[in-house]
């Protein structure tokens, strides 16, 4: 939630900041602002709306300054209004701050400061600006350190002071911040994407750390001013990977990335002759692996649907009882966990606040805690005792697509690794490895049908409710398909296990309620087919995702999308793609902002 960019160097700061904000717009996009130290004065511009609105507001301004901070906002405290947009300033207007996170005791602090300070916004962040002002005695770093000692909550923040034109201060507690290291210049941002055009050398700040950054030097300390030595790391992602590459939207580009990035997820991790996988990041001895009696997969949203598919794999291949826990529930559920429990936190961003908190709780209770994440160096990647990157590359559309399929792939490989260390035969393992290696080509076959699916979207775009149905491994597919449709098209949809229909949901069926059913050739085919017959009898329009060549599916439905066959456990990797495309085309036909749907943000870094 909210994106921060800052620059200090010798180049004009403004274009770097605006370009950086565009990269981070996925984190929040209801208002934006910059503050630049320009010819000795601190100049601030803010605008409600997207980065384009801010860029227009700045178009006529002559900004040559080489140091500045910028922010794109997703409102938490205070409505969407220019006065609530960041950067916020103190009474003098000399101190400017951008902030991501929530200051939980801001009301108390505001009360304490109310005597000598005038507040102009409803935000928690503005309180920080005044708190720093109250502590300022000629040294910005010291003022920030003192101020933050009084703060309860979370922050990733960058501060500058007009009287200290040679430094910016960044601090982190619970909200990510990355420092990019250039030559005679530094960048700070909520993730590495804004700096990839300039440097791939980065330092990830950890909780409790504060960076004092000048043009030539970087010093990292804690709030007690104790020095901290950090390693500079190299990021593999490059700027081109974060571009649309000719696609009209990031989401479509990312859907089409799937055959390529799934290979990245598998590369070097499958051992075909042994019919197994090896994910070195698991960091467990064979004795520790053998001691695992239970697995818990913790995630939110789409990542949790990937986990549901993973649950089937762990139980079938490895025989380990596996639960999927929605992080926001798990963290407050006083979960029963012991040393024989292995917990995976699954997250594209690695910054989802609830998932992080849930993993910390699991760690406190003694479980093995591992991460399955996409963003390199993210909080989950660093706080877990091991884990695996899914290698999906930058995913910028708010609606997750390629991260989902790569999460499922990594979970499958873990299940295979555990399975082969237990009861799974080499023959079954070999079949699974072979089937996984065939997936990229099969994904291509589905993607080729994008135009056909677009015609379906045209036909069904006017309905106001949809129902998605699946059974077994295709129930998580139905959940994910429904989730995609609602988040980017704003059409109401629900997903059910098809066997549940008779227990209530059948009452909703009517010619006004289209059903998307996943009927592929697996062990539950006949059961699913019977459920579809029942729907047919109630005259609901039917779209079926069926295995190619299934004549019965054509007879049963109004419309069919064919998918190539694969092993049952791998079906989510194929069957989800037509549903991603359907949601995408419906949303674009309806003129929705597909990459940045209303009220959402890519990375949910607040509770
Ligand atoms: C995906 O389309 C959603 N935007 C959302 O459900 C997302 O999957 C969820 O917020 C979890 O994010 P994470 O993978 O970064 O933890």
């Amino acid at each position: 939630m909210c994106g921060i960019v800052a620059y200090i160097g010798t180049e004009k700061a403004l274009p770097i900041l605006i370009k950086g904000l565009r990269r981070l717009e996925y984190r929040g996009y209801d208002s934006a602002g910059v503050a630049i130290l320009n010819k000795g004065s601190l100049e601030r511009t803010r605008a409600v709306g997207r980065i384009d609105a801010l860029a227009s507001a700045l178009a006529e301004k002559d900004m040559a300054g080489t140091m500045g901070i910028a922010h794109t906002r997703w409102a938490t405290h205070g409505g969407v209004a220019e006065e609530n947009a960041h950067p916020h300033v103190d009474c003098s207007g000399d101190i400017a701050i951008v902030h991501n996170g929530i200051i939980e005791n801001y009301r108390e602090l505001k009360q304490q400061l109310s005597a000598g300070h005038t507040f102009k916004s409803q935000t928690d962040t503005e309180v920080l600006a005044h708190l720093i002002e109250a502590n300022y005695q000629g040294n910005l770093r010291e003022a920030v350190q003192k101020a933050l000692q009084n703060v309860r909550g979370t922050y990733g923040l960058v501060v500058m002071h007009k009287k200290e034109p040679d430094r910016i201060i960044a601090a982190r507690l619970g909200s990510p911040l990355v420092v990019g290291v250039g030559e005679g210049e530094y960048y700070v941002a909520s993730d590495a994407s804004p700096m990839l055009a300039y440097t791939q050398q980065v330092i990830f700040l950890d909780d409790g750390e504060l960076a004092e950054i000048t043009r030539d030097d970087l010093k990292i300390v804690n709030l007690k001013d104790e020095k901290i030595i950090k390693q500079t790391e190299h990021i593999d992602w490059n700027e081109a990977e974060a571009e649309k590459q000719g696609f009209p939207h990031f989401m479509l580009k990312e859907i089409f990335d799937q055959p390529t990035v799934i290979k990245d997820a598998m590369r070097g991790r499958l051992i075909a002759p042994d019919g197994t996988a090896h994910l070195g990041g698991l960091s467990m001895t064979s004795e520790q692996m053998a001691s695992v009696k239970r697995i818990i997969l913790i995630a939110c949203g789409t990542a949790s649907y990937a986990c549901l598919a993973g649950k089937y794999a762990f139980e079938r291949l490895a025989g380990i009882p596996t639960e999927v826990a929605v992080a926001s529930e798990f963290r407050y559920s006083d979960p029963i966990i012991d040393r024989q429990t292995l917990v995976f936190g699954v997250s594209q961003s690695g910054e989802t606040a609830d998932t992080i908190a849930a993993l910390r709780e699991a760690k406190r209770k003694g479980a093995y805690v591992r991460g399955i994440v996409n963003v390199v160096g993210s909080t989950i990647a660093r706080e877990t005792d091991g884990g695996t990157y899914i290698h999906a590359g930058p995913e910028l559309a708010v609606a997750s697509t390629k991260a989902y399929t790569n999460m499922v792939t990594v979970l499958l490989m873990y299940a295979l690794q555990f399975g082969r260390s237990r009861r799974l035969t080499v023959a079954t393992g070999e079949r699974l490895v072979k089937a996984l290696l065939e997936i990229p080509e099969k994904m291509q076959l589905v993607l080729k049908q994008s135009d056909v699916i677009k015609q379906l979207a045209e036909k069904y775009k006017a309905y106001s409710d949809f129902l998605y149905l699946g059974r077994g491994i295709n129930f998580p597919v139905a959940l994910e398909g429904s989730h995609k449709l609602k988040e980017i098209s704003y059409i109401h949809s629900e997903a059910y296990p098809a066997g549940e229909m008779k227990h209530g949901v059948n009452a909703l069926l009517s010619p006004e309620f289209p059903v998307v059913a996943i009927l592929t050739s697996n062990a539950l085919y006949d059961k699913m087919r019977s459920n579809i017959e029942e729907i047919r009898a109630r005259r609901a329009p039917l779209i079926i995702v069926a295995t190619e060549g299934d004549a019965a599916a054509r007879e049963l439905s109004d419309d069919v999308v064919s998918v190539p066959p694969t092993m049952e456990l791998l079906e989510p990797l194929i069957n989800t793609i037509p549903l991603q495309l359907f949601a995408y085309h419906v949303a674009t036909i309806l003129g929705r902002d597909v990459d940045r749907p209303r009220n959402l943000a890519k990375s949910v870094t607040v509770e």
Side-chain angles (χ1 to χ4, degrees), residues 233-252:
E233 297 179 39
H234 180 85
I235 294 261
D236 279 338
W237 292 358
N238 59 43
E239 207 201 4
E241 284 174 313
E243 298 286 354
K244 283 189 202 144
Q245 293 168 0
F247 286 91
H249 297 99
F250 280 115
M251 183 180 175
L252 192 62

Short mmCIF file of all heavy atoms in Angstrom, two decimals, residues 233-252:
data_model
loop_
_atom_site.label_atom_id
_atom_site.label_comp_id
_atom_site.label_asym_id
_atom_site.label_seq_id
_atom_site.Cartn_x
_atom_site.Cartn_y
_atom_site.Cartn_z
N GLU A 233 23.39 -6.01 -2.55
CA GLU A 233 23.00 -7.20 -3.31
C GLU A 233 22.72 -6.84 -4.75
O GLU A 233 22.38 -5.69 -5.06
CB GLU A 233 21.75 -7.83 -2.68
CG GLU A 233 22.03 -8.30 -1.26
CD GLU A 233 20.81 -8.92 -0.60
OE1 GLU A 233 20.06 -9.63 -1.27
OE2 GLU A 233 20.62 -8.65 0.60
N HIS A 234 22.86 -7.83 -5.63
CA HIS A 234 22.61 -7.60 -7.05
C HIS A 234 21.23 -8.15 -7.40
O HIS A 234 20.91 -9.28 -7.08
CB HIS A 234 23.69 -8.29 -7.88
CG HIS A 234 23.50 -8.10 -9.35
ND1 HIS A 234 23.96 -6.99 -10.01
CD2 HIS A 234 22.85 -8.85 -10.28
CE1 HIS A 234 23.62 -7.07 -11.28
NE2 HIS A 234 22.94 -8.19 -11.47
N ILE A 235 20.41 -7.31 -8.07
CA ILE A 235 19.07 -7.75 -8.48
C ILE A 235 19.13 -8.19 -9.94
O ILE A 235 19.65 -7.45 -10.78
CB ILE A 235 18.08 -6.57 -8.39
CG1 ILE A 235 17.92 -6.14 -6.95
CG2 ILE A 235 16.78 -6.88 -9.05
CD1 ILE A 235 16.70 -6.66 -6.30
N ASP A 236 18.59 -9.35 -10.23
CA ASP A 236 18.66 -9.88 -11.60
C ASP A 236 17.65 -9.24 -12.55
O ASP A 236 17.87 -9.18 -13.73
CB ASP A 236 18.40 -11.39 -11.60
CG ASP A 236 19.66 -12.13 -11.21
OD1 ASP A 236 20.74 -11.53 -11.36
OD2 ASP A 236 19.54 -13.27 -10.76
N TRP A 237 16.50 -8.83 -12.01
CA TRP A 237 15.47 -8.28 -12.90
C TRP A 237 16.01 -7.04 -13.60
O TRP A 237 16.76 -6.25 -13.03
CB TRP A 237 14.25 -7.85 -12.09
CG TRP A 237 13.51 -8.99 -11.49
CD1 TRP A 237 13.79 -10.32 -11.61
CD2 TRP A 237 12.37 -8.90 -10.63
NE1 TRP A 237 12.88 -11.06 -10.89
CE2 TRP A 237 12.01 -10.21 -10.29
CE3 TRP A 237 11.62 -7.85 -10.13
CZ2 TRP A 237 10.92 -10.50 -9.46
CZ3 TRP A 237 10.54 -8.13 -9.32
CH2 TRP A 237 10.20 -9.45 -8.99
N ASN A 238 15.62 -6.85 -14.87
CA ASN A 238 16.03 -5.61 -15.52
C ASN A 238 14.80 -4.81 -15.91
O ASN A 238 13.67 -5.28 -15.79
CB ASN A 238 16.94 -5.89 -16.73
CG ASN A 238 16.24 -6.76 -17.74
OD1 ASN A 238 15.07 -6.53 -18.04
ND2 ASN A 238 16.94 -7.74 -18.26
N GLU A 239 15.05 -3.61 -16.42
CA GLU A 239 13.94 -2.71 -16.67
C GLU A 239 13.00 -3.25 -17.75
O GLU A 239 11.79 -3.14 -17.66
CB GLU A 239 14.48 -1.33 -17.08
CG GLU A 239 13.51 -0.25 -16.72
CD GLU A 239 13.73 1.01 -17.52
OE1 GLU A 239 14.59 1.05 -18.40
OE2 GLU A 239 13.00 1.97 -17.24
N ALA A 240 13.60 -3.86 -18.79
CA ALA A 240 12.78 -4.36 -19.90
C ALA A 240 11.73 -5.35 -19.41
O ALA A 240 10.60 -5.38 -19.90
CB ALA A 240 13.66 -5.02 -20.95
N GLU A 241 12.08 -6.13 -18.41
CA GLU A 241 11.12 -7.12 -17.90
C GLU A 241 9.93 -6.45 -17.24
O GLU A 241 8.90 -7.06 -17.03
CB GLU A 241 11.82 -8.04 -16.89
CG GLU A 241 12.70 -9.06 -17.57
CD GLU A 241 13.49 -9.87 -16.56
OE1 GLU A 241 14.07 -9.29 -15.64
OE2 GLU A 241 13.53 -11.10 -16.72
N ALA A 242 10.11 -5.20 -16.86
CA ALA A 242 9.01 -4.49 -16.20
C ALA A 242 8.23 -3.61 -17.19
O ALA A 242 7.46 -2.76 -16.79
CB ALA A 242 9.56 -3.65 -15.06
N GLU A 243 8.42 -3.82 -18.48
CA GLU A 243 7.69 -3.04 -19.49
C GLU A 243 6.53 -3.85 -20.05
O GLU A 243 6.52 -5.07 -19.95
CB GLU A 243 8.62 -2.67 -20.66
CG GLU A 243 9.80 -1.80 -20.28
CD GLU A 243 9.40 -0.36 -20.01
OE1 GLU A 243 8.22 -0.02 -20.24
OE2 GLU A 243 10.26 0.40 -19.57
N LYS A 244 5.63 -3.15 -20.77
CA LYS A 244 4.47 -3.87 -21.34
C LYS A 244 4.82 -4.64 -22.61
O LYS A 244 4.06 -5.50 -23.05
CB LYS A 244 3.36 -2.88 -21.67
CG LYS A 244 2.60 -2.42 -20.45
CD LYS A 244 1.38 -1.62 -20.87
CE LYS A 244 0.93 -0.74 -19.73
NZ LYS A 244 0.42 0.54 -20.13
N GLN A 245 5.90 -4.32 -23.23
CA GLN A 245 6.38 -5.03 -24.42
C GLN A 245 5.30 -5.20 -25.49
O GLN A 245 5.10 -6.29 -26.03
CB GLN A 245 6.96 -6.40 -24.02
CG GLN A 245 8.22 -6.25 -23.19
CD GLN A 245 8.67 -7.53 -22.53
OE1 GLN A 245 8.04 -8.58 -22.69
NE2 GLN A 245 9.74 -7.46 -21.78
N GLY A 246 4.62 -4.11 -25.80
CA GLY A 246 3.67 -4.13 -26.90
C GLY A 246 2.27 -4.58 -26.53
O GLY A 246 1.34 -4.42 -27.32
N PHE A 247 2.09 -5.13 -25.34
CA PHE A 247 0.72 -5.51 -24.92
C PHE A 247 -0.01 -4.26 -24.41
O PHE A 247 0.62 -3.36 -23.86
CB PHE A 247 0.79 -6.54 -23.79
CG PHE A 247 1.20 -7.91 -24.25
CD1 PHE A 247 2.54 -8.30 -24.26
CD2 PHE A 247 0.24 -8.82 -24.70
CE1 PHE A 247 2.91 -9.56 -24.70
CE2 PHE A 247 0.61 -10.08 -25.13
CZ PHE A 247 1.95 -10.45 -25.13
N PRO A 248 -1.33 -4.22 -24.57
CA PRO A 248 -2.05 -3.03 -24.12
C PRO A 248 -2.08 -2.87 -22.60
O PRO A 248 -2.23 -1.78 -22.08
CB PRO A 248 -3.47 -3.21 -24.67
CG PRO A 248 -3.59 -4.66 -24.99
CD PRO A 248 -2.21 -5.17 -25.27
N HIS A 249 -1.96 -3.98 -21.90
CA HIS A 249 -1.98 -3.91 -20.42
C HIS A 249 -0.92 -4.85 -19.85
O HIS A 249 -0.61 -5.88 -20.45
CB HIS A 249 -3.35 -4.37 -19.87
CG HIS A 249 -4.48 -3.50 -20.29
ND1 HIS A 249 -5.31 -3.84 -21.32
CD2 HIS A 249 -4.90 -2.30 -19.83
CE1 HIS A 249 -6.21 -2.88 -21.47
NE2 HIS A 249 -5.98 -1.94 -20.59
N PHE A 250 -0.46 -4.50 -18.65
CA PHE A 250 0.47 -5.41 -17.97
C PHE A 250 -0.18 -6.78 -17.74
O PHE A 250 0.45 -7.81 -17.86
CB PHE A 250 0.90 -4.82 -16.61
CG PHE A 250 1.98 -3.79 -16.75
CD1 PHE A 250 1.75 -2.47 -16.41
CD2 PHE A 250 3.24 -4.12 -17.23
CE1 PHE A 250 2.74 -1.51 -16.54
CE2 PHE A 250 4.24 -3.18 -17.36
CZ PHE A 250 3.99 -1.87 -17.02
N MET A 251 -1.48 -6.75 -17.43
CA MET A 251 -2.12 -8.04 -17.11
C MET A 251 -2.05 -8.99 -18.29
O MET A 251 -1.71 -10.18 -18.12
CB MET A 251 -3.57 -7.84 -16.69
CG MET A 251 -4.22 -9.16 -16.28
SD MET A 251 -5.92 -8.96 -15.79
CE MET A 251 -6.40 -10.66 -15.53
N LEU A 252 -2.32 -8.49 -19.50
CA LEU A 252 -2.29 -9.39 -20.66
C LEU A 252 -0.86 -9.86 -20.92
O LEU A 252 -0.62 -11.03 -21.20
CB LEU A 252 -2.86 -8.68 -21.90
CG LEU A 252 -3.13 -9.60 -23.08
CD1 LEU A 252 -4.18 -10.66 -22.73
CD2 LEU A 252 -3.60 -8.82 -24.30
#
